[in-house]
């Protein structure tokens, strides 16, 4: 299956410095990669260290011992989002222990501000020894559908996300570099398609509309970094381990070419005159921080995030 429509202004590219990932040997035509789910996978999924929730309640996330530096975008009153896209730097974060995780992601959601069940799609990269048994950077996806059942899943650990790529699947190892990904709504089917923009907008897979009880559109997009660690253990590095500092933040990790698909299915950069833009950082800025960057004409709307970590929290 492919999207029945293409959003205006986002046809996909193959940049010279674009990161390539996935298996070199592709599946034969008409077949896709399928991961064999083991009992161990199901146990890990049930006890995964990073729970999927939008970062709208800092106190709640603190109790989960997650820490984050995120940009949050809301459309103007009466408007909605139909997609989100950005190029994110993939970092081989060093020093992440077996009880910690560190990564970056894009999240598109509905009903984040409460009142109704939350639905979320998330994708990006992470290092998570608990989930994978190593400290290698991997491509990850997650989804959540709120309501009485409150269902959700990470990667391919349960039915939900439909794999379409012949060579790239959730859990795939990603080398350090830049990767541009997007998710967009196909209004004709109601499905949300995940694209590898740098690879001629390859369709990696899709999230069927039947997964969600209220994701016919979105009212929030979040992008940035997050980490997790056990209580009484210093939090790990986020991004490169450097804090955003100057107008271009050369050393800090970055999201570039941030674009949002509006309800007219056009990809546009965020603008404060059009969108409500907030920066969320749950700890003192000596640990992690986030900062909008000046547009130098090449990378579009960008921001830098991350920091050295080292925060230790006692059990509540």
């Amino acid at each position: 299956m492919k999207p029945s429509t293409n959003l205006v202004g986002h046809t996909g590219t193959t940049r010279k410095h674009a990161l390539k990932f996935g298996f070199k040997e592709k599946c034969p035509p008409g077949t896709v990669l399928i991961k064999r789910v083991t009992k161990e996978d199901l146990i890990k999924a049930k006890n995964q260290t990073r729970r999927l929730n939008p970062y709208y309640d800092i106190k709640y996330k603190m109790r989960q011992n997650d820490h984050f530096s995120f940009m949050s975008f809301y459309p103007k009153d009466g408007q909605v989002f139909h997609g989100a896209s950005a190029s994110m730097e993939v970092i081989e974060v060093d020093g992440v222990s077996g009880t910690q995780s560190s990564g970056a992601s894009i999240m598109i959601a509905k009903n984040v501000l409460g009142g109704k069940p939350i639905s979320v799609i998330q994708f990006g990269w992470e290092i998570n020894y608990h989930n994978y048994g190593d400290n290698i950077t991997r491509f990850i996806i997650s989804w959540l559908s709120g309501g009485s059942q409150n269902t959700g899943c990470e990667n391919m650990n349960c039915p939900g996300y439909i794999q379409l790529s012949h060579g790239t699947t959730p859990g795939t190892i990603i080398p350090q570099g830049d990767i541009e990904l997007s998710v967009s709504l196909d209004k004709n089917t109601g499905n949300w398609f995940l694209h590898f923009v740098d690879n001629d907008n390859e369709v990696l897979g899709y999230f069927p509309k039947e997964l969600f009880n209220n994701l016919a559109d979105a009212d929030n997009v979040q992008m940035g970094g997050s980490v997790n660690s056990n209580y009484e253990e210093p939090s790990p590095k986020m991004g490169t381990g450097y804090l955003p500092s100057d107008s271009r933040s050369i050393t800090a990790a970055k999201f570039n070419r941030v674009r949002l698909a509006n309800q007219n299915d056009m990809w546009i950069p965020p603008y404060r005159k059009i969108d409500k833009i907030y920066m969320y950082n749950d700890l003192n800025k000596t640990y992690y921080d986030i900062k909008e960057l000046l547009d130098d004409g090449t990378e579009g709307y960008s921001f830098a995030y991350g920091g050295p970590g080292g925060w230790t929290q006692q059990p509540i």
Side-chain angles (χ1 to χ4, degrees):
M1 176 182 287
K2 293 185 178 180
S4 60
T5 58
N6 289 319
L7 277 65
V8 177
H10 206 332
T11 57
T13 60
T14 303
R15 294 175 291 142
K16 291 182 179 180
H17 65 285
L19 182 66
K20 299 293 184 181
F21 72 104
F23 294 98
K24 293 182 179 180
E25 295 185 6
K26 309 298 182 183
C27 292
T31 65
V32 298
L33 290 165
I34 298 294
K35 181 185 183 301
R36 180 177 296 172
V37 178
T38 65
K39 181 179 179 180
E40 184 180 21
D41 290 330
L42 297 176
I43 294 173
K44 288 179 179 178
K46 184 178 180 180
N47 300 303
Q48 66 187 57
T49 58
R50 297 179 62 221
R51 298 296 177 182
L52 183 63
N53 284 291
Y55 300 115
Y56 66 97
D57 186 338
I58 290 178
K59 292 182 180 179
Y60 177 79
K61 296 307 296 180
M62 288 280 284
R63 288 198 296 270
Q64 294 293 315
N65 217 30
D66 287 347
H67 304 296
F68 56 87
S69 292
F70 253 73
M71 299 294 299
S72 187
F73 308 98
Y74 294 91
K76 68 179 181 180
D77 295 341
Q79 304 294 309
V80 295
F81 293 134
H82 282 178
S85 176
S87 173
M88 64 184 82
E89 294 183 350
V90 179
I91 310 295
E92 296 174 353
V93 186
D94 60 70
V96 180
S97 75
T99 56
Q100 298 174 327
S101 66
S102 183
S105 64
I106 298 171
M107 187 183 298
I108 192 164
K110 185 69 177 284
N111 297 326
V112 168
L113 295 179
K116 297 180 181 179
I118 298 173
S119 291
V120 185
I121 292 172
Q122 182 186 37
F123 53 97
W125 61 268
E126 74 169 353
I127 294 173
N128 191 324
Y129 188 92
H130 173 80
N131 285 358
Y132 306 108
D134 56 44
N135 286 334
I136 299 174
T137 309
R138 296 178 183 272
F139 167 55
I140 57 104
I141 64 160
S142 298
W143 61 271
L144 173 72
S145 180
S148 58
Q149 300 300 317
N150 198 35
T151 57
C153 193
E154 180 172 310
N155 294 343
M156 305 292 286
N157 290 332
C158 62
Y161 173 79
I162 306 299
Q163 173 76 22
L164 294 179
S165 172
H166 299 298
T168 302
T169 187
T172 299
I173 296 172
I174 310 180
Q176 186 162 297
D178 296 335
I179 180 172
E180 189 163 359
L181 299 170
S182 74
V183 68
S184 58
L185 172 68
D186 182 342
K187 290 195 295 185
N188 291 333
T189 64
N191 300 326
W192 290 84
F193 283 83
L194 184 61
H195 294 259
F196 184 7
V197 179
D198 279 329
N199 194 31
D200 291 326
N201 220 24
E202 177 192 3
V203 179
L204 298 178
Y206 69 95
F207 301 87
K209 66 176 182 179
E210 290 79 11
L211 290 178
F212 310 101
N213 56 19
N214 58 350
L215 199 58
D217 51 52
D219 56 19
N220 179 240
V221 171
Q222 299 182 19
M223 303 181 184
S226 61
V227 299
N228 178 278
S229 62
N230 281 349
Y231 290 114
E232 302 180 318
E233 180 182 19
S235 61
K237 293 179 182 178
M238 180 189 295
T240 62
Y242 290 96
L243 294 164
S245 54
D246 53 40
S247 61
R248 290 305 304 170
S249 292
I250 303 300
T251 55
K254 289 178 283 294
F255 277 66
N256 295 315
R257 293 182 297 285
V258 175
R259 286 177 284 184
L260 307 172
N262 61 21
Q263 62 190 35
N264 297 318
D265 292 339
M266 296 188 66
W267 290 101
I268 57 175
Y271 291 108
R272 291 191 178 276
K273 292 182 179 180
I274 301 176
D275 306 301
K276 302 172 185 177
I277 303 176
Y278 302 94
M279 289 182 283
Y280 291 118
N281 196 62
D282 74 306
L283 292 178
N284 185 291
K285 293 183 179 181
T286 59
Y287 299 102
Y288 310 110
D289 198 7
I290 188 165
K291 185 175 184 178
E292 286 182 298
L293 302 180
L294 297 176
D295 185 353
D296 64 357
T298 61
E299 299 294 356
Y301 182 94
S302 305
F303 64 89
Y305 72 94
W311 166 266
T312 302
Q313 182 179 344
Q314 300 298 319
I316 297 175

